[in-house]
Amino acid sequence: MELLNFMYSNTLSVTTAPALLDVLMAADKFEVASCMRYCSRLLRNLPMTPESALLYLDLPSSVLMGEAVQPLTDAAKQYLASRYKDMTKFQEEVMALPLAGIEAILSSDDLQIASEDAVYDFVLKWARTQYPKLEDRREVLGSRLARFIRFPYMTCRKLKKVLTCNDFDHEVSSKLVLEALFFKAEAPHRQRSLAAEESATLNRRFIERAYKYRPVKVVEFELPRQQCVVYLDLKREECANLFPSGRVYSQAFHLGGQGFFLSAHCNMDQQSSFHCFGLFLGMQEKGSVSFAVDYEFAARSKPTEEFVSKYKGNYTFTGGKAVGYRNLFAIPWTSFMAEDSLYFINGILHLRAELTIRH
């Protein structure tokens, strides 16, 4: 009746989401596109809740594909992605979400999560809870969820575990891990062009999320000495967000079997007279091992845009300890962040740390 009423008067008397959805389904069935658009618009103007967003994503696929409904489902996905972007805050709620909700959250570039390894762990945990039967789980992971995990940004240690993980069909996991490793091996300009090609498509696996632990590039040497060179790039806005007392951590890297990480800080200088940019090197595992390391911090600087050494030192690490410089560039924060700063090249700060085990 509502649909007939609309066809004559171009208005509806119902205003609640469930009633509007019923009209939308009827309009889809009888192919009344103008009514579908009208319902979709009214629904978009209602306040969104997790329940209503999931209702919209749960519409039959024929309706979901409709051009008129697209803006509504996009808004629902956007709502869920921004509501749950810090998944750790809503762990129980997120674990209870249905598949469509999980897909909406995982498709976001703005997930506030430690690293892609943590995304992978979460997806496995969710799938094991929702799909206790192995065949069902393999089907859902392979056909629906794997495309939302950005394997190219996972650590190599974790990718090894993916290969032996029984929850994935072996053929699927091999293909995903191979693709990720090839991406890691590409030159940076190729990685950027792959990400650019990908950004127009649905799955954004070559696009980096806003991880809490920033990805690093690592070159390792075993001979003549155990050594690793670590490259960490930070965007200007990431640095700006550190003011007045923030810090950002790199993903872990390994030297001599021990995990290390870099952390960049906005802190006060030694005399507490002004803010400045600090860089520190920390050792992960708490343990009794002590480790003597020579280290050097460098940054690309204008005008040459080459790496210029900023500090050299040596330190004997024990688990959980860190060493570094409160004022890496020996300038106040305002000069470091200024438009004419020597250290931002096309909006990126390029840092390098070299670690060598002392014998």
Side-chain angles (χ1 to χ4, degrees):
M1 287 308 294
E2 282 291 338
L3 180 58
L4 285 170
N5 186 25
F6 178 85
M7 289 157 79
Y8 287 104
S9 66
N10 262 348
T11 58
L12 293 172
S13 62
V14 295
T15 53
T16 64
L20 285 167
L21 278 174
D22 288 342
V23 180
L24 179 70
M25 308 271 273
D28 173 65
K29 188 174 180 181
F30 295 105
E31 298 182 358
V32 186
S34 57
C35 185
M36 287 182 74
R37 278 195 296 278
Y38 187 79
C39 292
S40 173
R41 194 172 72 245
L42 288 182
L43 286 165
R44 279 206 312 285
N45 292 336
L46 291 176
M48 190 86 72
T49 65
E51 294 70 35
S52 66
L54 290 167
L55 262 183
Y56 305 149
L57 294 180
D58 198 33
L59 290 165
S61 57
S62 61
V63 184
L64 280 177
M65 296 314 288
E67 200 183 316
V69 185
Q70 212 61 62
L72 178 64
T73 51
D74 287 349
K77 287 176 184 170
Q78 193 55 52
Y79 170 81
L80 290 171
S82 74
R83 179 181 166 86
Y84 296 116
K85 70 176 177 195
D86 190 351
M87 293 199 306
T88 46
K89 264 192 196 159
F90 298 96
Q91 220 152 5
E92 279 177 28
E93 248 180 272
V94 176
M95 283 302 286
L97 288 175
L99 182 59
I102 294 297
E103 289 179 329
I105 295 170
L106 294 179
S107 59
S108 165
D109 296 345
D110 299 322
L111 263 191
Q112 292 179 354
I113 197 151
S115 62
E116 200 64 29
D117 291 6
V119 174
Y120 170 81
D121 288 338
F122 165 77
V123 170
L124 270 192
K125 186 176 168 189
W126 180 87
R128 285 169 180 166
T129 309
Q130 300 278 348
Y131 299 91
K133 275 181 69 182
L134 183 63
E135 301 90 272
D136 300 346
R137 191 158 68 241
R138 278 188 166 180
E139 170 59 28
V140 164
L141 284 169
S143 65
R144 299 284 295 270
L145 285 176
R147 73 180 87 143
F148 294 106
I149 301 172
R150 302 183 186 183
F151 291 94
Y153 290 99
M154 285 169 61
T155 59
C156 291
R157 283 185 157 203
K158 198 61 151 184
L159 288 172
K160 267 187 189 164
K161 290 185 179 167
V162 177
L163 285 178
T164 56
C165 175
N166 200 26
D167 300 66
F168 281 92
D169 183 67
H170 186 65
E171 224 169 274
V172 173
S173 56
S174 307
K175 185 168 168 285
L176 292 165
V177 170
L178 260 181
E179 181 187 63
L181 292 173
F182 276 126
F183 179 81
K184 285 179 181 293
E186 288 283 14
H189 70 93
R190 278 289 299 141
Q191 291 181 343
R192 282 194 297 275
S193 66
L194 282 168
E197 286 163 27
E198 190 81 313
S199 65
T201 64
L202 276 174
N203 53 11
R204 301 165 66 78
R205 60 192 183 284
F206 295 138
I207 294 167
E208 202 181 304
R209 300 188 209 259
Y211 302 114
K212 288 181 188 168
Y213 297 131
R214 305 304 300 140
V216 286
K217 286 205 166 61
V218 185
V219 185
E220 296 180 31
F221 300 95
E222 282 295 319
L223 296 165
R225 308 171 64 185
Q226 276 193 310
Q227 183 182 34
C228 70
V229 185
V230 184
Y231 297 90
L232 171 66
D233 291 352
L234 297 174
K235 298 188 185 87
R236 184 185 274 276
E237 55 269 29
E238 286 179 289
C239 293
N241 290 339
L242 295 176
F243 188 84
S245 58
R247 52 184 65 183
V248 59
Y249 294 94
S250 79
Q251 290 183 356
F253 49 90
H254 293 82
L255 177 66
Q258 283 295 318
F260 288 88
F261 61 89
L262 291 170
S263 62
H265 301 219
C266 174
N267 44 216
M268 300 300 277
D269 76 321
Q270 254 78 4
Q271 284 73 43
S272 300
S273 46
F274 54 78
H275 288 91
C276 48
F277 179 85
L279 185 65
F280 295 83
L281 169 68
M283 187 161 106
Q284 261 189 333
E285 287 84 20
K286 303 266 186 283
S288 50
V289 194
S290 77
F291 233 67
V293 173
D294 286 326
Y295 63 92
E296 179 180 2
F297 292 155
R300 284 192 192 275
S301 309
K302 293 173 183 168
T304 61
E305 301 189 349
E306 299 293 332
F307 278 103
V308 175
S309 173
K310 289 293 162 192
Y311 279 105
K312 280 183 177 179
N314 52 63
Y315 188 72
T316 302
F317 283 94
T318 49
K321 285 278 191 287
V323 64
Y325 297 92
R326 294 173 76 85
N327 190 354
L328 182 70
F329 299 115
I331 53 173
W333 184 263
T334 43
S335 315
F336 164 65
M337 288 302 298
E339 276 304 304
D340 60 355
S341 169
L342 298 179
Y343 302 107
F344 287 98
I345 298 167
N346 299 326
I348 306 274
L349 171 68
H350 300 271
L351 300 168
R352 182 184 76 192
E354 212 168 298
L355 283 64
T356 313
I357 294 181
R358 304 181 74 186
H359 291 303

